[in-house]
Every structure is written in C-alpha cells, then in structure tokens.
Amino acid sequence: MEIPETPKTVEKLDLMLRLRDYSTGKASWRGPKARIGVDERQACRTLHVGIVQLINNVLAPLLDRITSREMEQFTLHDRIHGRKVAHLMWIILSEEARNRLTPPEIGMLVVAAHLHDLGMGLSNAERARRLDPSSDLWQWLEIDPSVQAGFERLKQEIRRERSTKSNKLRAAQQLLQAEEVLLCKDTRERHATRKRYEELLDELRSFHQRSPESIPDIDSLLAYDGVSYRDRLVDVCISHNEQADVLVEPDENNPAKPRFARSSPVGSCNVDLQMIAASLRLADILDFDRERTPSVLFFYLLPTDQPVEENRSLLEWGKHLSISNWQIKKEEIVFRGTCTDHVIHHAIVQFCKDIQREIRATRATFDPLQEGHWPFRLPSTVTAEIEEQGYRYIPYQFELEDDRVYKLLMGGAIYRDRLMALRELLQNAVDACRLRDALAHLYDNAKPETTDRITVVYEEPLQKHLRPTLTITDTGTGMDAWLLEQCFLKVGRSYYHTSEFANLRVQMRKAGLDFAPVSDFGIGFLSCFLLAKRLWVETALWESPSGDTRRRILEIDGPTRLIKLQEFANQGPG
C-alpha cells in the first residue's frame, strides 16, 4: 500500500469524512445496515463542527509557534505534523477497525494528533516563568549553581549603567543563546507531562474568558453527547512519550482497572483507549519523510557548514529530507529515498530499527486471545531502501570484544584490590536504602528503618554450596523489569542519571528533601566478577508505579553469558 498525500485541511481527513458520514446517516459504527438515530446524528454534527473549530482556530495556530525560537532546530511539530499524524492514524488502522470507530474515538484520535506536541511551544509569559530563578527548571534539569550564577552575571552586565553598548549587546546575545538551550531541553522533557497539558488547558480557558466570541471554550469542545473525554485524552497524550508497556498498566487511582480500557463509555458510545493511545504513538513515529522538513527551512534555520556528525539538528533534518516515499507491504514497511552522506544513511537505518521496535513493543501489549486484538495493518519488519550518491554504505564500525572490555573495566586501573567489589556492592545497597527512606518520607512521612538494613554473610563451602558464598542483602528500593532492562543490564548507565530519577529528585527537593547517590557510572556491579564466576541477583521493586512488584532471580554465569531469569509472585515488601 502506497501512502497517499496528506489532505490539505482537517475537514478532508479520512477520519473526519467518516464522522461526517455518521452525521448524515450514510455510515454507522454499528454495522453497514444499522441505523443512526436523529439525536446521534446531531451529536456527530456537533462533534465535527467542534473539532474543526478547535483545530483551525486554536490548536493549529499554537502549533505553528513551535517551529520558532527555542524549538527552531528540531523537525517540525506544527499543524502539518498534527494533520499528518491524524492522516496516518486512518491509514494504519485495519478495515475492520475503521468500520467500528465510534464518534468519540474519531474525536479523540484527531484531537490527540494535534494536541500531543502542543506543550513544546512557549508564550512570552511562559518563557519568563520558566527562566525565573524561582522556577523548578533549575532543579528539573539539575543545573549547576555556577551555571545559574553565570546567567545572573549576564543579566547584571546588561543592566549595569557603566557597561558599554557593545558589552551589553554581547551579554544579551550570550544570554539569549543560553536561554534557548535551556528552554529547548526543558520543553522537550516536560512537554508530555500532565502538569504541562493542564497548563495549556488553563491557558486556553483564559483565552476564552478574554475573548469568548473568537476563542471557543476548550472544555465544551472536548466532549461528545454531553460527556467530556478531556481527562482521558490528556492521558493518551501523556502516554505517547512513555514506554509501550504503559498501554497495559493498571489505573493509578484504581489498580483493579486498566489505565487504557478497551471499552470506556463516553455518552452513548464506548471508546477503545488502548487503540487510541497505540494509534498516536505509532502514527507519530511513522511521520518520517520529507513532508516534515521543508528544504527552504532546512537551509534557512540550520548552520549547514558544520559536519553532519557534529550537529544533531542536521542529522535529524537530513534523515527526514532523504526519504522520498514509503510503503506498507504485507510483510514489511519500506522507506525509500536517496542520500549523499553515509552518516545520515546510517541514521535512517537506525531509525527504521527504532520504528520496528516500537511496532513490536506496542503489538506485544495487545492480548492475542481477544477478538480483533491487533487493530492495525502494520507488519513487524521495517527496512530502508536508500540509493547512495557518491559513497557506498556498509555499516562499518568498531565492535567491542566483550570479554576484553570487561577485563579492562575490572583491571588494576580501576579496581586495584579484589575486595573493592565488596565496597561497590555496599555503596549500591546504601544508595538503595537511602532512596527508599527519602521516598517513604516523601509519600508517607515515614521514619527511616534502623535495623537490619544491610547484612553481609560469608559461608564456607557446604553441601548446598560447593564453593564459598558471599551474600549481601539490603532493604532498599529494589528493581522491577524496567530498571533491570534499562539500567542494571546496561553497562555504564546508572538509574541516577535517568529522567525518571530527575523527576523524583525535583519532587524531593520541593518537599525539603534531597538524595545524592554515591553510585555514579553504573559499572560497579561488574567488579563482582573479580570475586566470583557466578552471581545471583534476587530483587523486587518496593513500590512500582506500573504495579510491577514481581520477585525476580537472575542467575549470571560471567559478564558475557546469557542470563537465566525466574519470576515469582511477590510475598510482600521486604
């Protein structure tokens, strides 16, 4: 299937044409012969008019501001991207799934396509609030106090009466550049948070109050048949920036129910929230071609005299510009184009792998035993067919020989004494216990435990263990599947350098708490192989936001071997 051109207006989107057919009685989500009542047709007409008004008069103009200032060097997140995502949502849905789309599902799909990136744009007032010294931006990004002091020095230079005009101008330019860097990082990291979406909705409500004739009421438009779907829509938008497994996690306020129910009532209809959230994440990542990167803006905005490997913006824009078209086949998705740079070519190949991983991860969240469980006509393989111009692409790169690298990491340059492994394990245990104490105080105002927090037991060879055994036990936070896969099993990546921990640290600082981990580089556990050839790790997360508190045992026969994993129901917090 070739991907057709994106419609030029919201009204021409296939999703909107389907909604219009509902409003006239030409089609029905209940089946080809089912009739739609007069009230339901009117509700569909109201929804159609509301979506067009919301996008054309409110969301699209705000989306266009994202291409300027703090986000100017990233691929476009404007009204064209929103319309393209909504266009792709229809294309990737199976014929059966299209035919049973309910009116509120269509409304949520089209609005989510335009709302999910809206938080990337900042008004002048928002920019000022985020850059204010009292803003949590400085904690959120963990800005060094000396950097913040540098900002203040530039501001003082601009205000200083004796400062020359040239010095003031230079300071103003340096300050502006530094602010754009900070705001870009801040905005990308927090644009898909509940707090940010609520800020946007509050702002839109204030616009309506100031000018009710020209700015529509956002709350009345995010509804069908008199029932609001606003909160569920916000949660869908949040999920597009999270891991795919959030599609099957329990509801935060009611763990007995799923966060994204397959049948959630909205007025006289139901909505499949899992399908809507999956559609958004899949269509968003599939917007990968030259439509998203107009050539004139590429040359106008970016310093193209820099080597592509040294400029991430050039790389991001370049890989999109190189894609001429793409096609969904029965067995694979194929992206085609031409390229003049081997680095960009490699980035395209890698991004195709990212798309493939996203499709497979999303598909894994759908229950194969459920009827119509996978509502998309998307194969699980994604490839690139790129014509090289002036080079030959062979993915040459240095490969690290695992055994040798691990020996270097564990050699005398880092660990001069084998017993340093014990120190590393104790440091990890101390960090885990201190973090648990901080979180317990943050959420429950509980006092730290004081006994049997960390124990070290050495056993001589026994009948049960043919070799000496060293066991270190702690009552810290523990790990769930995500932490094991994303941090523990990735050499050099520490949980304390993730955005998840950064968010926690901001919350703790707001509550007058702080936690500075001793662990840093994420390689300390490797030192255990200085003492032993076989290791066992038994762990369970103390409190998991996703509800994953299963007990897991990893049996590790050397750092380069496959790991045996066993999972058990958790018997309770340790």
Side-chain angles (χ1 to χ4, degrees):
M1 176 186 62
E2 297 287 348
I3 307 302
E5 184 180 4
T6 305
K8 301 300 182 185
T9 64
V10 173
E11 296 91 326
K12 296 297 184 182
L13 288 168
D14 289 297
L15 286 166
M16 297 297 287
L17 295 177
R18 179 77 176 179
L19 183 58
R20 188 186 64 184
D21 287 344
Y22 290 165
S23 69
T24 61
K26 186 178 178 180
S28 171
W29 59 94
R30 298 193 180 97
K33 295 182 180 180
R35 295 177 62 84
I36 301 178
V38 174
D39 291 342
E40 287 182 320
R41 292 202 300 270
Q42 180 57 48
C44 291
R45 281 193 289 271
T46 301
L47 180 63
H48 188 283
V49 171
I51 292 172
V52 172
Q53 185 182 24
L54 173 64
I55 292 173
N56 288 344
N57 295 356
V58 180
L59 300 185
L62 293 177
L63 282 169
D64 288 344
R65 77 183 183 181
I66 296 175
T67 61
S68 62
R69 302 186 76 172
E70 62 278 345
M71 299 303 295
E72 68 179 9
Q73 293 188 357
F74 287 88
T75 49
L76 301 187
H77 296 81
D78 58 358
R79 71 174 73 199
I80 297 175
H81 173 57
R83 194 163 62 244
K84 179 70 172 290
V85 170
H87 175 56
L88 292 175
M89 286 173 166
W90 174 268
I91 289 172
I92 64 177
L93 281 170
S94 66
E95 192 69 27
E96 181 185 0
R98 291 176 181 176
N99 291 335
R100 63 170 183 260
L101 282 174
T102 64
E105 286 177 337
I106 293 176
M108 291 184 71
L109 287 168
V110 176
V111 177
H114 291 80
L115 179 65
H116 72 283
D117 281 336
L118 191 64
M120 286 188 175
L122 297 175
S123 66
N124 287 335
E126 288 172 323
R127 286 170 58 86
R129 284 197 297 270
R130 291 306 295 164
L131 291 170
D132 188 272
S134 63
S135 166
D136 67 356
L137 173 144
W138 309 96
Q139 296 175 328
W140 174 271
L141 298 180
E142 292 197 300
I143 303 300
D144 188 280
S146 63
V147 176
Q148 191 170 1
F151 274 78
E152 292 305 312
R153 282 195 299 272
L154 289 172
K155 293 177 182 178
Q156 291 172 8
E157 182 67 25
I158 296 170
R159 294 192 296 262
R160 195 159 60 93
E161 292 183 4
R162 294 185 179 182
S163 179
T164 65
K165 185 176 181 180
S166 61
N167 285 343
K168 286 187 176 183
L169 180 60
R170 187 182 304 109
Q173 290 174 335
Q174 292 174 348
L175 180 63
L176 179 61
Q177 291 174 352
E179 288 176 346
E180 302 308 337
V181 171
L182 276 183
L183 287 172
C184 179
K185 182 174 176 60
D186 174 60
T187 305
R188 282 190 69 86
E189 290 194 5
R190 64 186 290 271
H191 83 279
T193 60
R194 186 174 303 280
K195 180 180 179 181
R196 181 64 181 136
Y197 287 121
E198 292 299 337
E199 288 175 354
L200 288 167
L201 293 175
D202 287 343
E203 186 178 36
L204 295 177
R205 292 186 190 101
S206 70
F207 293 165
H208 170 68
Q209 292 171 358
R210 278 183 260 170
S211 182
E213 298 82 11
S214 57
I215 307 295
D217 176 16
I218 184 72
D219 293 309
S220 65
L221 296 182
L222 297 180
Y224 170 74
D225 197 21
V227 177
S228 172
Y229 55 75
R230 180 196 61 211
D231 293 340
R232 282 168 280 191
L233 176 69
V234 167
D235 206 25
V236 165
C237 291
I238 292 170
S239 72
H240 92 276
N241 207 40
E242 297 176 316
Q243 299 292 324
D245 57 7
V246 302
L247 298 179
V248 289
E249 73 178 10
D251 183 86
E252 183 180 22
N253 299 315
N254 188 352
K257 294 184 177 180
R259 175 179 172 185
F260 297 104
R262 297 300 304 271
S263 185
S264 180
V266 177
S268 60
C269 299
N270 292 323
V271 296
D272 184 343
L273 293 174
Q274 186 181 5
M275 177 275 294
I276 295 170
S279 297
L280 176 60
R281 65 189 308 116
L282 293 171
D284 189 34
I285 198 171
L286 284 168
D287 185 10
F288 177 40
D289 56 32
R290 61 178 58 245
E291 276 191 344
R292 197 169 180 185
T293 51
S295 298
V296 65
L297 285 181
F298 175 76
F299 293 110
Y300 181 74
L301 291 176
L302 302 183
T304 53
D305 57 334
Q306 293 184 9
V308 66
E309 61 270 20
E310 296 179 10
N311 189 308
R312 180 179 176 182
S313 301
L314 284 174
L315 189 63
E316 291 297 313
W317 282 66
K319 72 183 185 185
H320 282 77
L321 274 171
S322 299
I323 301 300
S324 302
N325 61 77
W326 58 286
Q327 182 180 13
I328 301 176
K329 294 184 176 182
K330 184 177 181 180
E331 302 295 334
E332 64 179 0
I333 299 173
V334 182
F335 288 89
R336 299 187 179 91
T338 58
C339 193
T340 59
D341 188 281
H342 71 289
V343 176
I344 292 177
H345 190 147
H346 186 65
I348 293 170
V349 172
Q350 294 301 114
F351 192 67
C352 285
K353 292 180 180 179
D354 290 341
I355 296 173
Q356 178 174 282
R357 279 191 290 269
E358 180 59 58
I359 293 173
R360 294 180 179 182
T362 302
R363 183 162 191 160
T365 67
F366 284 80
D367 185 356
L369 299 179
Q370 193 171 11
E371 183 181 357
H373 75 103
W374 180 241
F376 306 102
R377 48 176 179 173
L378 283 176
S380 296
T381 301
V382 182
T383 60
E385 294 180 2
I386 307 298
E387 293 184 6
E388 305 110 324
Q389 294 186 348
Y391 68 96
R392 181 184 174 199
Y393 174 71
I394 302 176
Y396 284 146
Q397 60 184 28
F398 286 106
E399 292 189 1
L400 303 178
E401 187 172 338
D402 292 342
D403 282 324
R404 179 61 177 160
V405 171
Y406 284 116
K407 287 176 182 176
L408 288 171
L409 284 172
M410 297 183 294
I414 298 179
Y415 301 108
R416 300 184 183 278
D417 185 341
R418 287 176 179 269
L419 289 178
M420 296 293 279
L422 181 59
R423 183 199 67 179
E424 294 286 353
L425 290 175
L426 289 174
Q427 284 181 346
N428 289 342
V430 169
D431 281 340
C433 290
R434 290 177 60 232
L435 178 57
R436 177 169 174 173
D437 290 345
L439 293 177
H441 189 280
L442 176 66
Y443 295 129
D444 302 320
N445 199 26
K447 294 182 179 180
E449 298 179 17
T450 57
T451 59
D452 297 328
R453 302 303 307 277
I454 301 172
T455 59
V456 181
V457 177
Y458 173 78
E459 297 176 278
E460 291 289 351
L462 301 171
Q463 190 171 11
K464 183 179 178 181
H465 298 291
L466 299 180
R467 292 181 175 83
T469 304
L470 179 67
T471 304
I472 298 179
T473 306
D474 68 71
T475 58
T477 51
M479 294 180 284
D480 61 2
W482 183 87
L483 281 167
L484 285 171
E485 294 168 8
Q486 299 300 318
C487 299
F488 179 75
L489 295 176
K490 290 191 175 180
V491 177
R493 187 180 189 200
S494 169
Y495 165 67
Y496 303 116
H497 289 168
T498 63
S499 59
E500 286 76 13
F501 176 69
N503 294 342
L504 275 178
R505 198 166 187 183
V506 169
Q507 295 178 46
M508 287 189 285
R509 285 175 173 172
K510 286 182 178 179
L513 303 168
D514 200 3
F515 165 71
V518 178
S519 305
D520 190 9
F521 298 111
I523 64 173
F525 185 77
L526 290 178
S527 64
C528 294
F529 294 105
L530 291 169
L531 296 175
K533 293 183 178 180
R534 176 173 293 180
L535 306 174
W536 286 268
V537 176
E538 182 174 357
T539 187
L541 194 60
W542 169 55
E543 285 192 4
S544 172
S546 64
D548 178 11
T549 56
R550 291 181 66 79
R551 182 169 62 94
R552 293 176 171 86
I553 298 178
L554 283 70
E555 184 177 328
I556 311 171
D557 292 315
T560 61
R561 304 285 181 86
L562 291 176
I563 297 172
K564 179 181 178 181
L565 170 66
Q566 295 176 287
E567 294 185 319
F568 307 91
N570 202 345
Q571 298 174 351

